Amino acid sequence: MTDTVGIVGLGMIARFHTEALEQLPNVDVVGGVDVDSDRTLTYRGEYRPVYGSVDELADLSPSTIIIATPTPTHYEICARILAQNDPPGLLIVEKPIGSSLEQVEDLLGQKASTDVIGVYHAAHAPEVLWAASKIQQWRERFGAITSYSASFGDSYRDLDARYDRVYVNSWIDSGINALSIAIRFVRLTAVDELVLMSQRGSTFRAAVRFRVDHADRVGDIGTTWDVTAPAKHSAFGMADNVRLYLDHQAMRGVLRRGAETVDEFSYTGDRQRLQEHYLNAFRSIFVERSGCATAGESMLLHRLLFSPVVEKR
């Protein structure tokens, strides 16, 4: 059986999508949609038709549609697709799924023949998958995770307002990346505080609550566009001075006890970072058939993302 795929939004991210999908068996990108009539779409060296609307794409009857448009447009496009007479069986949406919790609850809560899932590419990074595959044995050896912190920075500050229109702000864009990684390792329950540290640099600091052995712990997430080069990491602490550090930009991980290296990982493939992320994410959907996250996990991520009231400092 071949999964036929349509892609809505043919910008930079869509190129990572097509490059990843080309690596998978029995997946065929049959067409795309973009408001820019000059955009083209190629798949495995062949041009595919590009339409101006999702209604035109529906004539190809793709089994899956991927939404890779700017975040503020996700809800309207998804709602239009779901209202079609013969919607696709699967609707894959770039993170976040919507621009508000209400939008996400509406899309995920629809009782329809279409499954709506979010793509949380950062949670499929090779260093994250390495650590997730070992976390249970580390817990058995060193105990539960008792501390957590993350920092995600991109150098967008001095670029034009297009980034605000596409990504909204650093918390909306990168906060969900940090959260999607964290839920692989800890039981997140709330974001208790979200502070806007700098409007111009789109810098946020969040206090994140997680549950360990019937007790609450508090970690933190920082997101910013005020860096000269991309930098992203997550760190988790356990007993006996054990610390798991994941460098998401370099695709490396290390588990240390004090100064001793207990375990480590370094990506040795030849794919670019986002290419590897999306290949792993789409493999989970189209090959393993497990999806990027359960509906419950998607709902939790968006509740954590949108529930806190932003305070200004």
Side-chain angles (χ1 to χ4, degrees), residues 95 118-125 128 132 148 152 173-186 188 221 234 236 248 292-293 297-298 300-302 304-305:
K95 52 79 188 174
V119 179
Y120 313 106
H121 67 83
H124 293 266
V128 176
Y148 162 66
F152 279 63
D173 184 50
S174 292
I176 197 164
N177 282 343
L179 293 166
S180 69
I181 292 168
I183 66 170
R184 286 191 176 271
F185 304 100
V186 295
L188 296 179
I221 296 173
S234 301
F236 304 88
H248 305 303
C292 283
E297 288 169 337
S298 273
L300 171 63
L301 287 173
H302 288 87
L304 294 169
L305 186 73

PDB file of all heavy atoms in Angstrom, residues 95 118-125 128 132 148 152 173-186 188 221 234 236 248 292-293 297-298 300-302 304-305:
ATOM      1  N   LYS A  95       4.228  21.759  14.168  1.00  0.00           N
ATOM      2  CA  LYS A  95       3.990  22.289  15.508  1.00  0.00           C
ATOM      3  C   LYS A  95       4.090  23.817  15.505  1.00  0.00           C
ATOM      4  O   LYS A  95       4.864  24.376  14.716  1.00  0.00           O
ATOM      5  CB  LYS A  95       4.956  21.678  16.521  1.00  0.00           C
ATOM      6  CG  LYS A  95       6.446  21.768  16.110  1.00  0.00           C
ATOM      7  CD  LYS A  95       7.050  23.132  16.359  1.00  0.00           C
ATOM      8  CE  LYS A  95       8.425  23.279  15.796  1.00  0.00           C
ATOM      9  NZ  LYS A  95       8.941  24.671  15.922  1.00  0.00           N
ATOM     10  N   GLY A 118       0.292  16.129  15.310  1.00  0.00           N
ATOM     11  CA  GLY A 118       1.314  17.154  15.211  1.00  0.00           C
ATOM     12  C   GLY A 118       2.674  16.538  14.944  1.00  0.00           C
ATOM     13  O   GLY A 118       2.941  15.395  15.323  1.00  0.00           O
ATOM     14  N   VAL A 119       3.531  17.307  14.265  1.00  0.00           N
ATOM     15  CA  VAL A 119       4.907  16.875  14.032  1.00  0.00           C
ATOM     16  C   VAL A 119       5.811  17.614  15.009  1.00  0.00           C
ATOM     17  O   VAL A 119       5.989  18.826  14.899  1.00  0.00           O
ATOM     18  CB  VAL A 119       5.364  17.186  12.590  1.00  0.00           C
ATOM     19  CG1 VAL A 119       6.814  16.751  12.400  1.00  0.00           C
ATOM     20  CG2 VAL A 119       4.486  16.478  11.583  1.00  0.00           C
ATOM     21  N   TYR A 120       6.351  16.907  15.976  1.00  0.00           N
ATOM     22  CA  TYR A 120       7.260  17.475  16.966  1.00  0.00           C
ATOM     23  C   TYR A 120       8.664  16.968  16.637  1.00  0.00           C
ATOM     24  O   TYR A 120       9.179  16.036  17.253  1.00  0.00           O
ATOM     25  CB  TYR A 120       6.809  17.075  18.367  1.00  0.00           C
ATOM     26  CG  TYR A 120       5.325  17.298  18.560  1.00  0.00           C
ATOM     27  CD1 TYR A 120       4.432  16.220  18.588  1.00  0.00           C
ATOM     28  CD2 TYR A 120       4.799  18.582  18.636  1.00  0.00           C
ATOM     29  CE1 TYR A 120       3.076  16.423  18.728  1.00  0.00           C
ATOM     30  CE2 TYR A 120       3.435  18.795  18.762  1.00  0.00           C
ATOM     31  CZ  TYR A 120       2.575  17.711  18.804  1.00  0.00           C
ATOM     32  OH  TYR A 120       1.222  17.924  18.925  1.00  0.00           O
ATOM     33  N   HIS A 121       9.268  17.607  15.637  1.00  0.00           N
ATOM     34  CA  HIS A 121      10.493  17.061  15.063  1.00  0.00           C
ATOM     35  C   HIS A 121      11.632  16.977  16.076  1.00  0.00           C
ATOM     36  O   HIS A 121      12.454  16.059  16.023  1.00  0.00           O
ATOM     37  CB  HIS A 121      10.914  17.874  13.839  1.00  0.00           C
ATOM     38  CG  HIS A 121      11.354  19.272  14.140  1.00  0.00           C
ATOM     39  ND1 HIS A 121      12.635  19.576  14.546  1.00  0.00           N
ATOM     40  CD2 HIS A 121      10.680  20.459  14.095  1.00  0.00           C
ATOM     41  CE1 HIS A 121      12.735  20.878  14.740  1.00  0.00           C
ATOM     42  NE2 HIS A 121      11.570  21.443  14.469  1.00  0.00           N
ATOM     43  N   ALA A 122      11.704  17.934  17.014  1.00  0.00           N
ATOM     44  CA  ALA A 122      12.815  17.940  17.965  1.00  0.00           C
ATOM     45  C   ALA A 122      12.823  16.688  18.842  1.00  0.00           C
ATOM     46  O   ALA A 122      13.883  16.225  19.269  1.00  0.00           O
ATOM     47  CB  ALA A 122      12.758  19.187  18.836  1.00  0.00           C
ATOM     48  N   ALA A 123      11.644  16.139  19.113  1.00  0.00           N
ATOM     49  CA  ALA A 123      11.553  14.930  19.937  1.00  0.00           C
ATOM     50  C   ALA A 123      12.047  13.696  19.202  1.00  0.00           C
ATOM     51  O   ALA A 123      12.185  12.627  19.799  1.00  0.00           O
ATOM     52  CB  ALA A 123      10.108  14.716  20.391  1.00  0.00           C
ATOM     53  N   HIS A 124      12.334  13.845  17.896  1.00  0.00           N
ATOM     54  CA  HIS A 124      12.843  12.733  17.097  1.00  0.00           C
ATOM     55  C   HIS A 124      14.300  12.947  16.701  1.00  0.00           C
ATOM     56  O   HIS A 124      14.799  12.268  15.805  1.00  0.00           O
ATOM     57  CB  HIS A 124      11.968  12.544  15.855  1.00  0.00           C
ATOM     58  CG  HIS A 124      10.585  12.072  16.192  1.00  0.00           C
ATOM     59  ND1 HIS A 124      10.235  10.746  16.199  1.00  0.00           N
ATOM     60  CD2 HIS A 124       9.482  12.761  16.567  1.00  0.00           C
ATOM     61  CE1 HIS A 124       8.967  10.637  16.558  1.00  0.00           C
ATOM     62  NE2 HIS A 124       8.495  11.842  16.787  1.00  0.00           N
ATOM     63  N   ALA A 125      14.961  13.874  17.382  1.00  0.00           N
ATOM     64  CA  ALA A 125      16.383  14.084  17.146  1.00  0.00           C
ATOM     65  C   ALA A 125      17.158  12.834  17.561  1.00  0.00           C
ATOM     66  O   ALA A 125      16.766  12.140  18.503  1.00  0.00           O
ATOM     67  CB  ALA A 125      16.874  15.296  17.940  1.00  0.00           C
ATOM     68  N   VAL A 128      18.060  12.547  21.217  1.00  0.00           N
ATOM     69  CA  VAL A 128      16.884  12.338  22.063  1.00  0.00           C
ATOM     70  C   VAL A 128      16.454  10.878  22.009  1.00  0.00           C
ATOM     71  O   VAL A 128      16.151  10.257  23.044  1.00  0.00           O
ATOM     72  CB  VAL A 128      15.740  13.273  21.640  1.00  0.00           C
ATOM     73  CG1 VAL A 128      14.476  12.988  22.450  1.00  0.00           C
ATOM     74  CG2 VAL A 128      16.154  14.735  21.789  1.00  0.00           C
ATOM     75  N   ALA A 132      16.285   8.385  25.118  1.00  0.00           N
ATOM     76  CA  ALA A 132      14.985   7.779  25.443  1.00  0.00           C
ATOM     77  C   ALA A 132      15.085   6.257  25.466  1.00  0.00           C
ATOM     78  O   ALA A 132      14.392   5.590  26.263  1.00  0.00           O
ATOM     79  CB  ALA A 132      13.939   8.230  24.435  1.00  0.00           C
ATOM     80  N   TYR A 148      15.509  19.532  35.952  1.00  0.00           N
ATOM     81  CA  TYR A 148      15.368  19.679  34.499  1.00  0.00           C
ATOM     82  C   TYR A 148      15.553  21.135  34.118  1.00  0.00           C
ATOM     83  O   TYR A 148      15.044  22.035  34.788  1.00  0.00           O
ATOM     84  CB  TYR A 148      13.980  19.209  34.043  1.00  0.00           C
ATOM     85  CG  TYR A 148      13.587  19.706  32.668  1.00  0.00           C
ATOM     86  CD1 TYR A 148      14.265  19.284  31.531  1.00  0.00           C
ATOM     87  CD2 TYR A 148      12.544  20.620  32.514  1.00  0.00           C
ATOM     88  CE1 TYR A 148      13.916  19.745  30.278  1.00  0.00           C
ATOM     89  CE2 TYR A 148      12.185  21.082  31.265  1.00  0.00           C
ATOM     90  CZ  TYR A 148      12.877  20.646  30.139  1.00  0.00           C
ATOM     91  OH  TYR A 148      12.537  21.109  28.892  1.00  0.00           O
ATOM     92  N   PHE A 152      16.669  27.096  24.422  1.00  0.00           N
ATOM     93  CA  PHE A 152      16.560  27.008  22.967  1.00  0.00           C
ATOM     94  C   PHE A 152      16.710  28.407  22.388  1.00  0.00           C
ATOM     95  O   PHE A 152      15.896  29.298  22.672  1.00  0.00           O
ATOM     96  CB  PHE A 152      15.207  26.428  22.564  1.00  0.00           C
ATOM     97  CG  PHE A 152      15.139  24.923  22.651  1.00  0.00           C
ATOM     98  CD1 PHE A 152      15.286  24.277  23.873  1.00  0.00           C
ATOM     99  CD2 PHE A 152      14.937  24.152  21.517  1.00  0.00           C
ATOM    100  CE1 PHE A 152      15.234  22.899  23.968  1.00  0.00           C
ATOM    101  CE2 PHE A 152      14.887  22.768  21.597  1.00  0.00           C
ATOM    102  CZ  PHE A 152      15.043  22.133  22.823  1.00  0.00           C
ATOM    103  N   ASP A 173       7.338  28.944  19.102  1.00  0.00           N
ATOM    104  CA  ASP A 173       8.089  28.132  18.153  1.00  0.00           C
ATOM    105  C   ASP A 173       8.991  27.115  18.840  1.00  0.00           C
ATOM    106  O   ASP A 173       8.994  25.931  18.480  1.00  0.00           O
ATOM    107  CB  ASP A 173       8.935  29.039  17.253  1.00  0.00           C
ATOM    108  CG  ASP A 173       9.674  28.250  16.187  1.00  0.00           C
ATOM    109  OD1 ASP A 173       9.026  27.435  15.503  1.00  0.00           O
ATOM    110  OD2 ASP A 173      10.888  28.453  16.040  1.00  0.00           O
ATOM    111  N   SER A 174       9.770  27.548  19.821  1.00  0.00           N
ATOM    112  CA  SER A 174      10.752  26.660  20.447  1.00  0.00           C
ATOM    113  C   SER A 174      10.292  26.067  21.768  1.00  0.00           C
ATOM    114  O   SER A 174      10.800  25.014  22.179  1.00  0.00           O
ATOM    115  CB  SER A 174      12.072  27.414  20.678  1.00  0.00           C
ATOM    116  OG  SER A 174      12.685  27.727  19.456  1.00  0.00           O
ATOM    117  N   GLY A 175       9.362  26.736  22.444  1.00  0.00           N
ATOM    118  CA  GLY A 175       8.867  26.191  23.704  1.00  0.00           C
ATOM    119  C   GLY A 175       8.272  24.814  23.522  1.00  0.00           C
ATOM    120  O   GLY A 175       8.513  23.898  24.323  1.00  0.00           O
ATOM    121  N   ILE A 176       7.512  24.632  22.440  1.00  0.00           N
ATOM    122  CA  ILE A 176       6.901  23.316  22.217  1.00  0.00           C
ATOM    123  C   ILE A 176       7.954  22.277  21.847  1.00  0.00           C
ATOM    124  O   ILE A 176       7.799  21.094  22.144  1.00  0.00           O
ATOM    125  CB  ILE A 176       5.782  23.406  21.152  1.00  0.00           C
ATOM    126  CG1 ILE A 176       4.881  22.172  21.241  1.00  0.00           C
ATOM    127  CG2 ILE A 176       6.360  23.608  19.752  1.00  0.00           C
ATOM    128  CD1 ILE A 176       3.563  22.313  20.527  1.00  0.00           C
ATOM    129  N   ASN A 177       9.067  22.727  21.226  1.00  0.00           N
ATOM    130  CA  ASN A 177      10.174  21.795  20.979  1.00  0.00           C
ATOM    131  C   ASN A 177      10.746  21.289  22.297  1.00  0.00           C
ATOM    132  O   ASN A 177      10.950  20.088  22.497  1.00  0.00           O
ATOM    133  CB  ASN A 177      11.279  22.484  20.178  1.00  0.00           C
ATOM    134  CG  ASN A 177      10.955  22.596  18.706  1.00  0.00           C
ATOM    135  OD1 ASN A 177      10.076  21.909  18.196  1.00  0.00           O
ATOM    136  ND2 ASN A 177      11.661  23.469  18.017  1.00  0.00           N
ATOM    137  N   ALA A 178      11.032  22.222  23.207  1.00  0.00           N
ATOM    138  CA  ALA A 178      11.579  21.841  24.505  1.00  0.00           C
ATOM    139  C   ALA A 178      10.620  20.930  25.266  1.00  0.00           C
ATOM    140  O   ALA A 178      11.032  19.923  25.857  1.00  0.00           O
ATOM    141  CB  ALA A 178      11.886  23.091  25.324  1.00  0.00           C
ATOM    142  N   LEU A 179       9.339  21.275  25.256  1.00  0.00           N
ATOM    143  CA  LEU A 179       8.341  20.477  25.966  1.00  0.00           C
ATOM    144  C   LEU A 179       8.209  19.076  25.374  1.00  0.00           C
ATOM    145  O   LEU A 179       8.074  18.096  26.107  1.00  0.00           O
ATOM    146  CB  LEU A 179       6.990  21.190  25.925  1.00  0.00           C
ATOM    147  CG  LEU A 179       6.896  22.512  26.695  1.00  0.00           C
ATOM    148  CD1 LEU A 179       5.635  23.269  26.299  1.00  0.00           C
ATOM    149  CD2 LEU A 179       6.925  22.274  28.200  1.00  0.00           C
ATOM    150  N   SER A 180       8.256  18.978  24.038  1.00  0.00           N
ATOM    151  CA  SER A 180       8.089  17.670  23.395  1.00  0.00           C
ATOM    152  C   SER A 180       9.258  16.751  23.708  1.00  0.00           C
ATOM    153  O   SER A 180       9.091  15.526  23.763  1.00  0.00           O
ATOM    154  CB  SER A 180       7.919  17.840  21.884  1.00  0.00           C
ATOM    155  OG  SER A 180       9.110  18.280  21.264  1.00  0.00           O
ATOM    156  N   ILE A 181      10.428  17.316  23.895  1.00  0.00           N
ATOM    157  CA  ILE A 181      11.584  16.514  24.327  1.00  0.00           C
ATOM    158  C   ILE A 181      11.430  16.116  25.789  1.00  0.00           C
ATOM    159  O   ILE A 181      11.637  14.952  26.161  1.00  0.00           O
ATOM    160  CB  ILE A 181      12.883  17.303  24.118  1.00  0.00           C
ATOM    161  CG1 ILE A 181      13.168  17.489  22.628  1.00  0.00           C
ATOM    162  CG2 ILE A 181      14.064  16.599  24.802  1.00  0.00           C
ATOM    163  CD1 ILE A 181      14.267  18.479  22.329  1.00  0.00           C
ATOM    164  N   ALA A 182      11.039  17.062  26.622  1.00  0.00           N
ATOM    165  CA  ALA A 182      10.956  16.811  28.065  1.00  0.00           C
ATOM    166  C   ALA A 182       9.987  15.687  28.399  1.00  0.00           C
ATOM    167  O   ALA A 182      10.258  14.885  29.312  1.00  0.00           O
ATOM    168  CB  ALA A 182      10.555  18.091  28.794  1.00  0.00           C
ATOM    169  N   ILE A 183       8.854  15.597  27.679  1.00  0.00           N
ATOM    170  CA  ILE A 183       7.868  14.568  28.046  1.00  0.00           C
ATOM    171  C   ILE A 183       8.357  13.157  27.742  1.00  0.00           C
ATOM    172  O   ILE A 183       7.742  12.187  28.191  1.00  0.00           O
ATOM    173  CB  ILE A 183       6.489  14.806  27.395  1.00  0.00           C
ATOM    174  CG1 ILE A 183       6.558  14.657  25.875  1.00  0.00           C
ATOM    175  CG2 ILE A 183       5.920  16.144  27.800  1.00  0.00           C
ATOM    176  CD1 ILE A 183       5.178  14.644  25.224  1.00  0.00           C
ATOM    177  N   ARG A 184       9.458  13.036  27.034  1.00  0.00           N
ATOM    178  CA  ARG A 184      10.044  11.708  26.854  1.00  0.00           C
ATOM    179  C   ARG A 184      10.749  11.224  28.128  1.00  0.00           C
ATOM    180  O   ARG A 184      11.027  10.036  28.277  1.00  0.00           O
ATOM    181  CB  ARG A 184      11.054  11.705  25.703  1.00  0.00           C
ATOM    182  CG  ARG A 184      10.426  11.754  24.303  1.00  0.00           C
ATOM    183  CD  ARG A 184      11.481  11.483  23.247  1.00  0.00           C
ATOM    184  NE  ARG A 184      10.949  11.426  21.898  1.00  0.00           N
ATOM    185  CZ  ARG A 184      10.490  10.330  21.305  1.00  0.00           C
ATOM    186  NH1 ARG A 184      10.475   9.183  21.985  1.00  0.00           N
ATOM    187  NH2 ARG A 184      10.059  10.357  20.057  1.00  0.00           N
ATOM    188  N   PHE A 185      11.040  12.158  29.043  1.00  0.00           N
ATOM    189  CA  PHE A 185      11.865  11.818  30.205  1.00  0.00           C
ATOM    190  C   PHE A 185      11.204  12.113  31.549  1.00  0.00           C
ATOM    191  O   PHE A 185      11.543  11.474  32.540  1.00  0.00           O
ATOM    192  CB  PHE A 185      13.196  12.573  30.118  1.00  0.00           C
ATOM    193  CG  PHE A 185      13.938  12.306  28.846  1.00  0.00           C
ATOM    194  CD1 PHE A 185      13.903  13.212  27.799  1.00  0.00           C
ATOM    195  CD2 PHE A 185      14.658  11.129  28.682  1.00  0.00           C
ATOM    196  CE1 PHE A 185      14.581  12.967  26.612  1.00  0.00           C
ATOM    197  CE2 PHE A 185      15.334  10.863  27.498  1.00  0.00           C
ATOM    198  CZ  PHE A 185      15.295  11.789  26.458  1.00  0.00           C
ATOM    199  N   VAL A 186      10.322  13.110  31.603  1.00  0.00           N
ATOM    200  CA  VAL A 186       9.684  13.467  32.869  1.00  0.00           C
ATOM    201  C   VAL A 186       8.186  13.644  32.652  1.00  0.00           C
ATOM    202  O   VAL A 186       7.723  13.873  31.530  1.00  0.00           O
ATOM    203  CB  VAL A 186      10.274  14.770  33.471  1.00  0.00           C
ATOM    204  CG1 VAL A 186      11.721  14.574  33.854  1.00  0.00           C
ATOM    205  CG2 VAL A 186      10.125  15.945  32.507  1.00  0.00           C
ATOM    206  N   LEU A 188       5.531  15.964  32.878  1.00  0.00           N
ATOM    207  CA  LEU A 188       5.201  17.378  33.003  1.00  0.00           C
ATOM    208  C   LEU A 188       3.744  17.548  33.412  1.00  0.00           C
ATOM    209  O   LEU A 188       2.867  16.854  32.911  1.00  0.00           O
ATOM    210  CB  LEU A 188       5.438  18.094  31.672  1.00  0.00           C
ATOM    211  CG  LEU A 188       6.866  18.154  31.143  1.00  0.00           C
ATOM    212  CD1 LEU A 188       6.897  18.872  29.801  1.00  0.00           C
ATOM    213  CD2 LEU A 188       7.794  18.839  32.127  1.00  0.00           C
ATOM    214  N   ILE A 221      12.625  26.451  31.399  1.00  0.00           N
ATOM    215  CA  ILE A 221      12.891  26.487  29.956  1.00  0.00           C
ATOM    216  C   ILE A 221      13.125  27.938  29.564  1.00  0.00           C
ATOM    217  O   ILE A 221      12.327  28.816  29.907  1.00  0.00           O
ATOM    218  CB  ILE A 221      11.716  25.921  29.145  1.00  0.00           C
ATOM    219  CG1 ILE A 221      11.482  24.444  29.451  1.00  0.00           C
ATOM    220  CG2 ILE A 221      11.957  26.120  27.637  1.00  0.00           C
ATOM    221  CD1 ILE A 221      10.230  23.879  28.804  1.00  0.00           C
ATOM    222  N   SER A 234      19.103  20.427  26.450  1.00  0.00           N
ATOM    223  CA  SER A 234      18.277  20.002  27.582  1.00  0.00           C
ATOM    224  C   SER A 234      19.180  19.289  28.577  1.00  0.00           C
ATOM    225  O   SER A 234      20.131  18.603  28.178  1.00  0.00           O
ATOM    226  CB  SER A 234      17.167  19.040  27.139  1.00  0.00           C
ATOM    227  OG  SER A 234      16.316  19.624  26.185  1.00  0.00           O
ATOM    228  N   PHE A 236      19.100  17.022  32.411  1.00  0.00           N
ATOM    229  CA  PHE A 236      18.304  16.320  33.421  1.00  0.00           C
ATOM    230  C   PHE A 236      19.246  15.807  34.507  1.00  0.00           C
ATOM    231  O   PHE A 236      20.301  15.223  34.198  1.00  0.00           O
ATOM    232  CB  PHE A 236      17.559  15.142  32.795  1.00  0.00           C
ATOM    233  CG  PHE A 236      16.667  15.506  31.637  1.00  0.00           C
ATOM    234  CD1 PHE A 236      17.177  15.549  30.349  1.00  0.00           C
ATOM    235  CD2 PHE A 236      15.337  15.810  31.836  1.00  0.00           C
ATOM    236  CE1 PHE A 236      16.374  15.883  29.270  1.00  0.00           C
ATOM    237  CE2 PHE A 236      14.522  16.149  30.774  1.00  0.00           C
ATOM    238  CZ  PHE A 236      15.036  16.189  29.482  1.00  0.00           C
ATOM    239  N   HIS A 248      21.293  19.692  21.368  1.00  0.00           N
ATOM    240  CA  HIS A 248      20.425  19.456  20.228  1.00  0.00           C
ATOM    241  C   HIS A 248      20.941  20.091  18.942  1.00  0.00           C
ATOM    242  O   HIS A 248      20.505  19.702  17.852  1.00  0.00           O
ATOM    243  CB  HIS A 248      19.020  19.974  20.529  1.00  0.00           C
ATOM    244  CG  HIS A 248      18.439  19.404  21.773  1.00  0.00           C
ATOM    245  ND1 HIS A 248      18.287  18.057  21.971  1.00  0.00           N
ATOM    246  CD2 HIS A 248      17.973  19.999  22.914  1.00  0.00           C
ATOM    247  CE1 HIS A 248      17.748  17.842  23.161  1.00  0.00           C
ATOM    248  NE2 HIS A 248      17.554  18.995  23.753  1.00  0.00           N
ATOM    249  N   CYS A 292       3.838  10.648  15.740  1.00  0.00           N
ATOM    250  CA  CYS A 292       4.820  11.466  16.452  1.00  0.00           C
ATOM    251  C   CYS A 292       4.482  11.601  17.926  1.00  0.00           C
ATOM    252  O   CYS A 292       5.345  11.843  18.749  1.00  0.00           O
ATOM    253  CB  CYS A 292       4.902  12.861  15.821  1.00  0.00           C
ATOM    254  SG  CYS A 292       5.830  12.890  14.280  1.00  0.00           S
ATOM    255  N   ALA A 293       3.218  11.491  18.261  1.00  0.00           N
ATOM    256  CA  ALA A 293       2.752  11.603  19.650  1.00  0.00           C
ATOM    257  C   ALA A 293       1.315  11.130  19.687  1.00  0.00           C
ATOM    258  O   ALA A 293       0.599  11.198  18.677  1.00  0.00           O
ATOM    259  CB  ALA A 293       2.848  13.046  20.145  1.00  0.00           C
ATOM    260  N   GLU A 297      -0.852  13.177  24.348  1.00  0.00           N
ATOM    261  CA  GLU A 297       0.417  13.901  24.453  1.00  0.00           C
ATOM    262  C   GLU A 297       0.357  15.229  23.707  1.00  0.00           C
ATOM    263  O   GLU A 297       0.857  16.253  24.182  1.00  0.00           O
ATOM    264  CB  GLU A 297       1.552  13.036  23.913  1.00  0.00           C
ATOM    265  CG  GLU A 297       1.922  11.871  24.814  1.00  0.00           C
ATOM    266  CD  GLU A 297       2.860  10.884  24.164  1.00  0.00           C
ATOM    267  OE1 GLU A 297       2.897  10.826  22.912  1.00  0.00           O
ATOM    268  OE2 GLU A 297       3.554  10.155  24.900  1.00  0.00           O
ATOM    269  N   SER A 298      -0.278  15.214  22.532  1.00  0.00           N
ATOM    270  CA  SER A 298      -0.437  16.464  21.784  1.00  0.00           C
ATOM    271  C   SER A 298      -1.254  17.482  22.570  1.00  0.00           C
ATOM    272  O   SER A 298      -0.909  18.666  22.621  1.00  0.00           O
ATOM    273  CB  SER A 298      -1.121  16.195  20.437  1.00  0.00           C
ATOM    274  OG  SER A 298      -0.193  15.860  19.442  1.00  0.00           O
ATOM    275  N   LEU A 300      -1.630  17.636  25.828  1.00  0.00           N
ATOM    276  CA  LEU A 300      -0.827  18.081  26.967  1.00  0.00           C
ATOM    277  C   LEU A 300       0.191  19.134  26.526  1.00  0.00           C
ATOM    278  O   LEU A 300       0.337  20.176  27.184  1.00  0.00           O
ATOM    279  CB  LEU A 300      -0.109  16.895  27.601  1.00  0.00           C
ATOM    280  CG  LEU A 300       0.946  17.245  28.668  1.00  0.00           C
ATOM    281  CD1 LEU A 300       0.295  17.933  29.862  1.00  0.00           C
ATOM    282  CD2 LEU A 300       1.706  15.992  29.106  1.00  0.00           C
ATOM    283  N   LEU A 301       0.892  18.881  25.439  1.00  0.00           N
ATOM    284  CA  LEU A 301       1.900  19.830  24.968  1.00  0.00           C
ATOM    285  C   LEU A 301       1.293  21.201  24.705  1.00  0.00           C
ATOM    286  O   LEU A 301       1.866  22.236  25.073  1.00  0.00           O
ATOM    287  CB  LEU A 301       2.556  19.305  23.691  1.00  0.00           C
ATOM    288  CG  LEU A 301       3.526  18.138  23.857  1.00  0.00           C
ATOM    289  CD1 LEU A 301       3.963  17.612  22.502  1.00  0.00           C
ATOM    290  CD2 LEU A 301       4.733  18.545  24.677  1.00  0.00           C
ATOM    291  N   HIS A 302       0.135  21.233  24.086  1.00  0.00           N
ATOM    292  CA  HIS A 302      -0.479  22.525  23.757  1.00  0.00           C
ATOM    293  C   HIS A 302      -1.083  23.195  24.991  1.00  0.00           C
ATOM    294  O   HIS A 302      -1.095  24.418  25.077  1.00  0.00           O
ATOM    295  CB  HIS A 302      -1.521  22.339  22.656  1.00  0.00           C
ATOM    296  CG  HIS A 302      -0.903  22.058  21.314  1.00  0.00           C
ATOM    297  ND1 HIS A 302      -0.572  20.784  20.916  1.00  0.00           N
ATOM    298  CD2 HIS A 302      -0.508  22.895  20.311  1.00  0.00           C
ATOM    299  CE1 HIS A 302      -0.025  20.836  19.700  1.00  0.00           C
ATOM    300  NE2 HIS A 302       0.020  22.102  19.317  1.00  0.00           N
ATOM    301  N   LEU A 304       0.265  22.989  27.972  1.00  0.00           N
ATOM    302  CA  LEU A 304       1.440  23.565  28.613  1.00  0.00           C
ATOM    303  C   LEU A 304       1.911  24.813  27.866  1.00  0.00           C
ATOM    304  O   LEU A 304       2.356  25.786  28.478  1.00  0.00           O
ATOM    305  CB  LEU A 304       2.565  22.536  28.655  1.00  0.00           C
ATOM    306  CG  LEU A 304       2.324  21.296  29.525  1.00  0.00           C
ATOM    307  CD1 LEU A 304       3.390  20.244  29.250  1.00  0.00           C
ATOM    308  CD2 LEU A 304       2.292  21.657  30.997  1.00  0.00           C
ATOM    309  N   LEU A 305       1.826  24.784  26.546  1.00  0.00           N
ATOM    310  CA  LEU A 305       2.302  25.892  25.723  1.00  0.00           C
ATOM    311  C   LEU A 305       1.429  27.131  25.876  1.00  0.00           C
ATOM    312  O   LEU A 305       1.939  28.255  26.010  1.00  0.00           O
ATOM    313  CB  LEU A 305       2.336  25.460  24.255  1.00  0.00           C
ATOM    314  CG  LEU A 305       2.944  26.452  23.262  1.00  0.00           C
ATOM    315  CD1 LEU A 305       4.455  26.499  23.433  1.00  0.00           C
ATOM    316  CD2 LEU A 305       2.576  26.053  21.825  1.00  0.00           C
TER     317      LEU A 305
END
